[in-house]
């Protein structure tokens, strides 16, 4: 029963996170079809990220205080509707508003869902969280293929096809009375059995996640344009983005297994150390090897992903929803704030030049992670 429940949460997560990946996958389309500059196109990513970064911790605090099973299907529907409305092409402000609606849906989904996964899993939870995160990564990986396939259908029908995963996700995430009663019973348990709150370690972890977020979101936003700048076709750019997202899925699943052997903090440190040369290879090696380096870089950057969520929950055991909102939302979404700066530099120079500073960020994350303690799992 527990495994089926975790699998259901992972499948629902996939249906939501396809819309985070879709925002990055739409950037080349917006540049070529609507004549947006790199800075303007990256502003679309910022619109989704900025709103999510502000409100996601608030939804996490709400999940700490009460059971909100209705919020998960509602947020899934909002995520899909926002992306579908981008097709209306009612001008740049309307496009920003549509993407912001999708970002709001994504923001509302993650804290409540992550808290449910942790309480359903029991114990350390990093293996269950890695499966939950894997579902999101699969959604990310499928997003470029979904966007290319849907937009090959002319007219509004193609854009509404992008809303199909949201419809599936709403069905998967509909409240079930038996499951929700169990969830409400568990919701109070972590706070009642909470240990000490290590706020200093949590702040340090948040810095690590911010640095990682800037690196990954920068790559995911511009890798398709980078491949096209180096002579690849639009399909080649979509394949590079797919390789990036597919690598992230493998890294997420690997993270839970490595943590069982090395511990979470040691795994996080080693993953960031491995990510640095992979990012350098992506930017410096010949084009055919870009796909390999993209997958390796994403895998290394995503090995820590689910581990950082459970670390945050164990640093703040009485505020698991808030910790999930920060590690999954606020600090992750802050990476989108760097997008317009990268885009402006790309407009002034080249995409490759704009991405070169990202190679330093995994080393910075490694240095920050060296000071993290290994907490005891929350009750």
């Amino acid at each position: 029963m527990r495994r089926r429940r975790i699998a259901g949460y992972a499948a629902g997560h996939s249906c939501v996170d396809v819309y985070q990946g879709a925002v990055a996958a739409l950037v080349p389309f917006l540049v070529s079809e609507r004549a947006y500059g790199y800075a303007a196109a990256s502003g679309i990513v910022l619109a989704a990220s900025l709103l999510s970064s502000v409100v996601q911790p608030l939804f996490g605090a709400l999940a700490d205080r009460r059971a909100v099973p209705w919020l998960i299907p509602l947020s899934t529907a909002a995520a899909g509707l926002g992306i579908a409305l981008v097709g209306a092409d009612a001008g740049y402000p309307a496009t920003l508003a549509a993407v912001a609606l999708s970002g709001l849906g994504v923001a509302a989904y993650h804290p409540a869902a992550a808290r449910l996964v942790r309480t359903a899993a029991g114990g350390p939870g990093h293996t269950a969280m890695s499966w939950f995160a894997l579902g999101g990564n699969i959604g990310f990986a499928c997003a470029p293929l979904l966007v290319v396939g849907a937009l090959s259908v002319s007219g509004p029908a193609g854009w509404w096809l992008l809303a199909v995963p949201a419809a599936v996700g709403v069905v998967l995430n509909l409240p079930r009375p038996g499951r929700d009663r169990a969830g409400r019973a568990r919701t109070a348990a972590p706070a009642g059995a909470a240990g000490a709150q290590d706020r200093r370690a949590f702040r340090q972890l948040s810095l690590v996640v911010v640095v990682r977020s800037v690196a990954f979101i920068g790559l995911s936003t511009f890798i398709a344009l980078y491949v096209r700048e180096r002579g690849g076709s639009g399909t080649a750019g979509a394949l590079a983005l797919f390789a990036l997202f597919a690598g992230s899925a493998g890294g997420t699943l690997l993270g839970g297994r490595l943590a069982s052997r090395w511990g979470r903090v040691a795994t996080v440190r080693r993953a960031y150390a491995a990510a640095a040369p992979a990012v350098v290879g992506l930017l410096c090696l010949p084009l055919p090897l870009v796909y390999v380096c993209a997958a390796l870089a994403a895998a290394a950057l995503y090995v820590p992903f689910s581990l950082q969520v459970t670390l945050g929950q164990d640093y703040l055991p009485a505020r698991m929803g808030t910790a999930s909102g920060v590690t999954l939302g606020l600090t992750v979404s802050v990476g989108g704030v760097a997008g317009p700066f990268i885009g402006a530099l790309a407009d002034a120079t080249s995409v490759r030049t704009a991405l070169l500073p990202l190679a330093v960020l995994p080393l910075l994350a490694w240095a920050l992670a060296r000071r993290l303690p290994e907490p005891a799992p929350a009750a």
Side-chain angles (χ1 to χ4, degrees):
M1 180 69 72
R2 179 177 295 174
R3 289 181 178 179
R4 288 199 298 270
R5 188 176 300 156
I6 298 299
Y9 291 140
H13 194 194
S14 179
C15 293
V16 171
D17 272 13
V18 73
Y19 296 108
Q20 289 201 80
V23 174
L26 285 171
V27 167
F29 169 83
L30 297 173
V31 169
S32 61
E33 299 296 326
R34 298 188 183 176
Y36 292 169
Y38 292 148
S42 59
I44 299 295
V45 180
L46 176 62
S49 299
L50 191 60
L51 181 63
S52 179
S53 69
V54 172
V55 303
Q56 196 152 165
L58 301 180
F59 285 116
L62 175 64
D64 282 329
R65 286 172 172 79
R66 61 184 65 188
V68 283
W70 53 266
L71 182 62
I72 297 179
L74 181 63
S75 60
T76 303
L81 179 63
I83 293 298
L85 290 176
V86 174
D89 193 13
Y92 188 74
T95 300
L96 288 175
V99 172
L101 173 63
S102 181
L104 180 64
V106 171
Y109 173 85
H110 282 97
R115 198 180 200 288
L116 284 174
V117 170
R118 185 65 188 273
T119 54
H126 51 256
T127 299
M129 193 64 70
S130 69
W131 282 104
F132 174 70
L134 175 64
N137 296 147
I138 291 173
F140 261 108
C142 292
L145 306 180
L146 174 67
V147 168
V148 170
L151 296 189
S152 66
V153 178
S154 60
W159 286 95
W160 286 110
L161 283 175
L162 294 175
V164 170
V168 175
V170 168
V171 173
L172 289 172
N173 290 317
L174 284 175
R176 294 173 176 81
R179 184 182 69 180
D180 296 336
R181 281 195 297 270
R184 281 193 291 270
R186 291 187 184 94
T187 296
Q197 310 294 294
D198 194 342
R199 300 182 184 277
R200 180 178 180 181
F202 185 76
R203 287 193 295 268
Q204 188 77 12
L205 175 67
S206 298
L207 289 176
V208 173
V209 182
V210 166
V211 173
R212 174 216 165 270
S213 173
V214 173
F216 185 79
I217 292 181
L219 289 175
S220 64
T221 302
F222 291 99
I223 190 171
L225 296 171
Y226 167 68
V227 168
R228 291 172 63 177
E229 182 182 84
R230 295 191 61 179
S233 64
T235 302
L239 287 175
L241 190 59
F242 174 77
L244 191 78
F245 290 160
S248 69
T252 299
L253 189 57
L254 185 62
R257 297 188 177 186
L258 293 178
S260 298
R261 177 180 300 179
W262 297 335
R264 287 175 291 179
V265 173
T267 301
V268 167
R269 294 169 184 158
R270 294 174 185 181
Y272 285 130
V279 176
V280 171
L282 189 158
L283 298 173
C284 299
L285 293 178
L287 188 57
L289 295 177
V290 166
Y291 302 103
V292 177
C293 290
L296 292 175
L301 289 171
Y302 258 88
V303 162
F305 185 76
S306 62
L307 308 181
Q308 290 168 161
V309 177
T310 59
L311 281 170
Q313 291 171 336
D314 290 340
Y315 289 145
L316 300 181
R319 296 288 182 268
M320 283 193 181
T322 302
S324 301
V326 173
T327 53
L328 278 171
L330 176 61
T331 48
V332 172
S333 301
V334 164
V337 176
F341 297 100
I342 298 173
L345 182 57
D347 282 329
T349 55
S350 67
V351 178
R352 185 178 187 178
T353 301
L355 293 179
L356 282 174
L358 300 184
V360 181
L361 296 182
L363 294 177
L364 178 58
W366 168 79
L368 291 169
R370 293 185 66 191
R371 301 176 62 187
L372 291 176
E374 181 73 58

